[in-house]
Amino acid sequence: MTSSLKILTIIPARGGSKGVPKKNIRLVGNKPLIAYTIEVALRSEVLDRIIVSTDSEEIAEISKRLGAEIPFIRPKGLSIDSAPTLPVIQHAVKSIESNDLVTFDWILILQPTNPFKSTEDIGNAIKIAEETSCDSIISVVQVFAHHPILMKKIKDNRLLDFSFKEKEGTRRQDYSPPAYMRNGAIYLTRREVIMEDNSIWGKSIHPYIMPESRSFNIDSEIDLEVAHNILSSNNR
Protein backbone atom coordinates (compact mmCIF):
# COMPACT_ATOMS: atom_id res chain seq x y z
CA MET A 1 0.00 0.00 0.00
CA THR A 2 1.14 3.54 -0.76
CA SER A 3 -0.21 6.81 0.61
CA SER A 4 0.13 10.45 -0.38
CA LEU A 5 -0.47 11.52 3.23
CA LYS A 6 2.40 12.53 5.51
CA ILE A 7 1.70 10.69 8.74
CA LEU A 8 3.39 10.93 12.13
CA THR A 9 2.79 7.86 14.29
CA ILE A 10 2.94 8.37 18.04
CA ILE A 11 2.96 5.48 20.51
CA PRO A 12 2.31 6.93 23.98
CA ALA A 13 3.89 4.75 26.68
CA ARG A 14 4.06 6.15 30.18
CA GLY A 15 6.24 4.27 32.65
CA GLY A 16 4.16 4.80 35.77
CA SER A 17 1.18 2.48 35.30
CA LYS A 18 -0.35 1.72 38.71
CA GLY A 19 -3.03 -0.84 37.79
CA VAL A 20 -0.50 -3.02 35.96
CA PRO A 21 3.05 -2.02 36.97
CA LYS A 22 5.41 -1.59 33.99
CA LYS A 23 2.50 -2.64 31.78
CA ASN A 24 3.94 -1.40 28.49
CA ILE A 25 7.07 -3.54 28.77
CA ARG A 26 5.71 -6.58 30.60
CA LEU A 27 6.39 -9.81 28.73
CA VAL A 28 3.34 -10.98 26.80
CA GLY A 29 3.81 -14.02 24.59
CA ASN A 30 7.60 -13.74 25.16
CA LYS A 31 7.77 -10.12 23.95
CA PRO A 32 7.41 -6.76 25.71
CA LEU A 33 3.79 -5.63 25.27
CA ILE A 34 4.87 -2.51 23.36
CA ALA A 35 6.69 -4.69 20.80
CA TYR A 36 3.45 -5.73 19.10
CA THR A 37 2.45 -2.15 18.37
CA ILE A 38 5.92 -1.09 17.22
CA GLU A 39 6.25 -4.10 14.92
CA VAL A 40 2.82 -3.54 13.33
CA ALA A 41 3.64 0.13 12.71
CA LEU A 42 7.02 -0.72 11.15
CA ARG A 43 5.45 -3.30 8.84
CA SER A 44 2.87 -0.83 7.51
CA GLU A 45 5.50 0.88 5.26
CA VAL A 46 3.32 3.98 4.74
CA LEU A 47 4.06 5.83 7.98
CA ASP A 48 6.65 8.60 7.71
CA ARG A 49 7.82 8.60 11.33
CA ILE A 50 7.19 6.17 14.17
CA ILE A 51 8.05 7.54 17.60
CA VAL A 52 7.46 6.47 21.18
CA SER A 53 6.58 9.21 23.66
CA THR A 54 7.67 8.03 27.09
CA ASP A 55 8.97 9.33 30.39
CA SER A 56 10.81 6.06 31.09
CA GLU A 57 14.43 5.43 30.10
CA GLU A 58 13.73 1.69 30.29
CA ILE A 59 10.79 1.91 27.87
CA ALA A 60 12.86 4.18 25.65
CA GLU A 61 15.75 1.70 25.46
CA ILE A 62 13.48 -1.28 24.72
CA SER A 63 11.53 0.68 22.10
CA LYS A 64 14.74 1.81 20.42
CA ARG A 65 15.96 -1.79 20.17
CA LEU A 66 12.62 -2.71 18.58
CA GLY A 67 13.11 -0.09 15.86
CA ALA A 68 11.06 2.90 17.06
CA GLU A 69 12.44 6.42 17.33
CA ILE A 70 12.88 8.04 20.74
CA PRO A 71 13.46 11.70 19.87
CA PHE A 72 12.91 12.92 23.45
CA ILE A 73 12.04 11.85 26.98
CA ARG A 74 8.62 13.18 27.88
CA PRO A 75 8.63 16.14 30.33
CA LYS A 76 7.64 15.36 33.93
CA GLY A 77 4.56 17.56 33.69
CA LEU A 78 3.18 15.28 30.98
CA SER A 79 4.01 12.07 32.85
CA ILE A 80 1.71 12.26 35.86
CA ASP A 81 -1.38 10.06 36.25
CA SER A 82 -3.75 12.95 35.60
CA ALA A 83 -2.04 14.15 32.41
CA PRO A 84 -4.53 13.89 29.51
CA THR A 85 -3.50 12.42 26.17
CA LEU A 86 -3.99 15.58 24.06
CA PRO A 87 -1.06 17.66 25.45
CA VAL A 88 1.17 14.58 25.25
CA ILE A 89 0.39 14.27 21.54
CA GLN A 90 0.71 18.02 20.93
CA HIS A 91 4.12 18.03 22.61
CA ALA A 92 5.30 15.21 20.34
CA VAL A 93 4.04 16.91 17.18
CA LYS A 94 5.64 20.24 18.13
CA SER A 95 8.95 18.56 18.96
CA ILE A 96 9.22 16.63 15.69
CA GLU A 97 7.96 19.41 13.42
CA SER A 98 10.16 22.12 14.93
CA ASN A 99 13.24 19.91 14.91
CA ASP A 100 12.77 18.58 11.37
CA LEU A 101 11.11 21.66 9.83
CA VAL A 102 8.23 19.54 8.54
CA THR A 103 4.43 19.66 8.79
CA PHE A 104 2.44 16.45 8.88
CA ASP A 105 -1.02 15.85 7.40
CA TRP A 106 -2.32 13.31 9.89
CA ILE A 107 -1.32 12.04 13.32
CA LEU A 108 -1.74 8.32 14.07
CA ILE A 109 -1.98 7.37 17.74
CA LEU A 110 -1.37 3.70 18.49
CA GLN A 111 -1.96 2.56 22.06
CA PRO A 112 0.43 -0.23 23.10
CA THR A 113 -2.29 -1.72 25.30
CA ASN A 114 -3.97 -3.18 22.20
CA PRO A 115 -1.51 -5.81 20.90
CA PHE A 116 -3.84 -7.45 18.36
CA LYS A 117 -4.27 -4.64 15.82
CA SER A 118 -2.85 -5.42 12.41
CA THR A 119 -1.04 -3.67 9.59
CA GLU A 120 -4.24 -4.12 7.60
CA ASP A 121 -6.15 -2.16 10.25
CA ILE A 122 -3.71 0.74 9.93
CA GLY A 123 -3.95 0.65 6.14
CA ASN A 124 -7.75 0.58 6.20
CA ALA A 125 -7.87 3.59 8.52
CA ILE A 126 -5.50 5.53 6.24
CA LYS A 127 -7.65 4.65 3.24
CA ILE A 128 -10.66 6.20 4.99
CA ALA A 129 -8.57 9.33 5.65
CA GLU A 130 -7.71 9.55 1.97
CA GLU A 131 -11.27 9.06 0.75
CA THR A 132 -13.33 11.16 3.19
CA SER A 133 -13.37 14.67 4.63
CA CYS A 134 -13.67 13.55 8.26
CA ASP A 135 -11.66 15.01 11.14
CA SER A 136 -10.65 11.63 12.55
CA ILE A 137 -10.95 7.88 12.24
CA ILE A 138 -11.47 5.95 15.48
CA SER A 139 -11.49 2.17 15.72
CA VAL A 140 -14.52 0.56 17.35
CA VAL A 141 -15.92 -2.91 17.99
CA GLN A 142 -19.57 -3.95 18.01
CA VAL A 143 -20.69 -4.84 21.54
CA PHE A 144 -23.28 -7.28 22.77
CA ALA A 145 -22.54 -7.95 26.45
CA HIS A 146 -22.22 -4.17 26.99
CA HIS A 147 -25.08 -3.09 24.74
CA PRO A 148 -27.03 -0.12 26.21
CA ILE A 149 -30.21 -2.21 26.18
CA LEU A 150 -28.73 -4.26 29.03
CA MET A 151 -27.95 -1.24 31.18
CA LYS A 152 -30.26 -0.70 34.16
CA LYS A 153 -30.78 1.83 36.93
CA ILE A 154 -32.18 1.40 40.40
CA LYS A 155 -34.85 3.82 41.61
CA ASP A 156 -36.84 3.35 44.81
CA ASN A 157 -35.37 -0.15 45.01
CA ARG A 158 -36.80 -1.05 41.60
CA LEU A 159 -34.76 -2.20 38.61
CA LEU A 160 -35.58 -0.02 35.60
CA ASP A 161 -34.35 0.36 32.01
CA PHE A 162 -31.57 2.95 31.85
CA SER A 163 -32.21 4.28 28.36
CA PHE A 164 -33.41 1.54 25.99
CA LYS A 165 -36.42 -0.59 26.84
CA GLU A 166 -35.51 -4.28 26.99
CA LYS A 167 -38.27 -6.65 26.02
CA GLU A 168 -38.10 -9.90 27.96
CA GLY A 169 -36.55 -12.67 25.88
CA THR A 170 -34.79 -10.35 23.39
CA ARG A 171 -31.94 -12.22 21.68
CA ARG A 172 -28.57 -10.50 21.49
CA GLN A 173 -28.65 -10.55 17.69
CA ASP A 174 -31.88 -8.54 17.89
CA TYR A 175 -30.43 -5.69 19.98
CA SER A 176 -31.30 -2.51 18.12
CA PRO A 177 -29.76 -0.25 17.11
CA PRO A 178 -26.33 -1.96 16.97
CA ALA A 179 -23.93 -0.47 19.53
CA TYR A 180 -20.21 0.14 19.17
CA MET A 181 -17.45 0.95 21.64
CA ARG A 182 -14.01 2.45 21.13
CA ASN A 183 -11.46 -0.37 21.35
CA GLY A 184 -8.36 1.80 21.87
CA ALA A 185 -6.49 0.40 18.88
CA ILE A 186 -6.39 3.28 16.36
CA TYR A 187 -6.87 7.05 16.48
CA LEU A 188 -6.03 8.78 13.19
CA THR A 189 -6.59 12.54 13.27
CA ARG A 190 -5.92 15.52 11.04
CA ARG A 191 -2.93 17.46 12.28
CA GLU A 192 -4.81 20.79 12.44
CA VAL A 193 -7.59 19.26 14.55
CA ILE A 194 -5.04 18.29 17.18
CA MET A 195 -2.85 21.38 17.02
CA GLU A 196 -5.39 24.12 16.25
CA ASP A 197 -8.73 22.78 17.48
CA ASN A 198 -7.23 21.11 20.57
CA SER A 199 -9.04 17.85 19.98
CA ILE A 200 -8.15 14.26 19.14
CA TRP A 201 -11.63 13.38 17.95
CA GLY A 202 -12.73 16.55 16.14
CA LYS A 203 -16.34 17.10 15.12
CA SER A 204 -16.61 14.66 12.23
CA ILE A 205 -15.55 11.17 13.34
CA HIS A 206 -15.49 8.23 10.95
CA PRO A 207 -15.66 4.75 12.53
CA TYR A 208 -13.33 1.96 11.61
CA ILE A 209 -15.00 -1.26 12.73
CA MET A 210 -12.68 -4.02 13.94
CA PRO A 211 -13.58 -7.59 14.89
CA GLU A 212 -13.75 -8.63 18.52
CA SER A 213 -10.70 -10.87 18.04
CA ARG A 214 -8.48 -7.80 17.42
CA SER A 215 -10.17 -5.47 19.91
CA PHE A 216 -8.78 -6.81 23.18
CA ASN A 217 -7.43 -4.03 25.39
CA ILE A 218 -5.18 -4.63 28.41
CA ASP A 219 -6.24 -2.75 31.54
CA SER A 220 -5.68 -5.32 34.32
CA GLU A 221 -3.49 -8.23 35.36
CA ILE A 222 -6.22 -10.61 34.21
CA ASP A 223 -6.26 -8.97 30.77
CA LEU A 224 -2.49 -9.33 30.65
CA GLU A 225 -2.68 -13.04 31.47
CA VAL A 226 -5.35 -13.65 28.83
CA ALA A 227 -3.34 -11.81 26.17
CA HIS A 228 -0.19 -13.70 27.20
CA ASN A 229 -1.90 -17.05 26.72
CA ILE A 230 -3.29 -16.08 23.32
CA LEU A 231 -0.07 -14.56 22.02
CA SER A 232 2.09 -17.39 23.38
CA SER A 233 -0.06 -19.80 21.38
CA ASN A 234 0.14 -17.58 18.27
CA ASN A 235 3.92 -17.24 18.53
CA ARG A 236 4.31 -21.02 18.78
Side-chain angles (χ1 to χ4, degrees), residues 97-117:
E97 290 190 339
S98 61
N99 186 66
D100 293 0
L101 301 178
V102 64
T103 301
F104 292 94
D105 300 313
W106 288 76
I107 309 301
L108 175 62
I109 304 168
L110 299 178
Q111 302 281 5
T113 49
N114 180 297
F116 297 100
K117 56 185 167 287

Side-chain angles (χ1 to χ4, degrees), residues 131-167:
E131 296 177 350
T132 70
S133 58
C134 65
D135 290 338
S136 66
I137 297 96
I138 295 178
S139 59
V140 297
V141 59
Q142 186 173 2
V143 294
F144 294 98
H146 297 94
H147 193 284
I149 201 170
L150 300 176
M151 299 297 116
K152 306 297 177 184
K153 61 185 176 183
I154 298 175
K155 185 176 182 180
D156 298 329
N157 210 30
R158 294 173 62 226
L159 191 65
L160 305 172
D161 292 318
F162 192 87
S163 56
F164 289 88
K165 184 171 180 58
E166 181 185 13
K167 183 180 178 181

